[in-house]
Amino acid sequence: MNVVVLNGVSKTYHLDAVDVPALVKIDLAIRPDRFTVISGASGSGKTTLLNVIGCIDLPDQGEIVVAGRAVQLLSDDALSDFRAGHIGFIFQNFNLLPVLTVDENVEYPLLLARVPAAERKRRVHALLEAVGLADRARHFPGQLSGGQRQRVAIARALAPAPQLVLADEPTANLDSQTGAAIIELMRAMQREHHVSFVFSSHDPNVLAAADDAVMIRDGRIEKIERRESRTGRTP
């Protein structure tokens, strides 16, 4: 089953007396256990599409099904709980809490989900080991490099064991070498955790790593390229 299905999704922003169409009749299926990149120029609608997929924003028209749930039918509280349990987020600016240590940042979504303490400790330790930051667990974000902060953000996104991880321009604030290392890490984590990663990006290195590439322009999907999975499976 596809992890995300969008049927006829449209979104228009109203700025004073001007209507700005951000998405126009989007039909899209995100396959499970894949690395999907949404690519387009600035203003193409890729971030709006990512926000709709992540249930941060709802469309004006159309249907969205995420992890088998028609999210538009959920109340605000139910939608918030659904996001917390099924979707992980990696932000361009990391969005780490500066007053929390590395391990506390990774643990935070587990606290919100009321995961028992022993399980929280186990997951946090395993994830920090996986992203190579176990020795930085008691450091604060301000003591880390940009690449290390993004590694913390990846661990935090995976902590609740989501079915879907979304990342908005995850390499935009990193140098090319660090960005390449982050792409390699996210690909490894996607394989290990069997989760669908969806990115918005115009970074050619991110696009080259994709299983599926969605090209968007002026709020419309121009082309979808389905490639053989890097796991060796045929789509």
Side-chain angles (χ1 to χ4, degrees):
M1 181 178 70
N2 291 317
V3 69
V4 177
V5 177
L6 279 66
N7 292 315
V9 166
S10 295
K11 178 69 179 179
T12 298
Y13 291 109
H14 307 285
L15 305 176
D16 296 325
V18 179
D19 291 342
V20 181
L23 299 176
V24 183
K25 297 181 180 178
I26 297 289
D27 294 319
L28 177 64
I30 302 296
R31 298 188 296 166
D33 195 13
R34 293 296 195 277
F35 215 62
T36 299
V37 176
I38 300 168
S39 186
S42 178
S44 62
K46 61 183 183 295
T47 297
T48 300
L49 180 54
L50 198 72
N51 288 342
V52 167
I53 292 171
C55 308
I56 294 172
D57 207 351
L58 292 176
D60 302 320
Q61 296 179 336
E63 179 188 36
I64 308 172
V65 178
V66 180
R69 297 289 299 274
V71 297
Q72 290 153 288
L73 303 180
L74 300 177
S75 67
D76 288 345
D77 288 345
L79 188 59
S80 180
D81 290 342
F82 178 82
R83 272 197 308 268
H86 293 81
I87 306 173
F89 295 91
I90 301 169
F91 299 96
Q92 183 180 144
N93 294 316
F94 319 127
N95 281 23
L96 302 179
L97 297 172
V99 298
L100 299 184
T101 59
V102 164
D103 57 350
E104 289 169 341
N105 266 282
V106 177
E107 183 186 31
Y108 188 67
L110 300 178
L111 285 168
L112 295 178
R114 298 182 177 87
V115 174
E119 177 63 10
R120 294 200 308 267
K121 183 177 180 180
R122 185 195 69 78
R123 286 199 209 178
V124 169
H125 178 74
L127 284 166
L128 289 180
E129 284 279 359
V131 301
L133 288 177
D135 60 340
R136 298 288 193 273
R138 301 307 297 167
H139 286 60
F140 289 93
Q143 298 172 303
L144 304 178
S145 68
Q148 288 172 330
R149 293 182 201 180
Q150 196 63 295
R151 287 172 180 266
V152 177
I154 293 168
R156 180 183 60 187
L158 290 167
Q163 293 174 261
L164 179 66
V165 172
L166 305 181
D168 186 13
E169 298 280 3
T171 61
N173 290 333
L174 304 174
D175 63 74
S176 58
Q177 184 174 357
T178 302
I182 289 297
I183 295 167
E184 185 177 347
L185 174 63
M186 288 190 290
R187 170 54 94 177
M189 298 301 281
Q190 179 261 320
R191 290 193 189 106
E192 179 180 343
H193 291 266
H194 301 288
V195 62
S196 296
F197 272 67
V198 181
F199 306 89
S200 68
S201 182
H202 58 264
D203 182 340
N205 293 320
V206 176
L207 193 60
D211 295 318
D212 294 345
V214 179
M215 312 301 182
I216 187 170
R217 180 178 181 182
D218 296 333
R220 300 175 185 269
I221 291 179
E222 280 195 317
K223 179 173 61 172
I224 300 175
E225 295 180 359
R226 307 284 192 187
R227 305 168 183 171
E228 182 177 349
S229 171
R230 269 57 171 186
T231 62
R233 295 179 313 186
T234 301

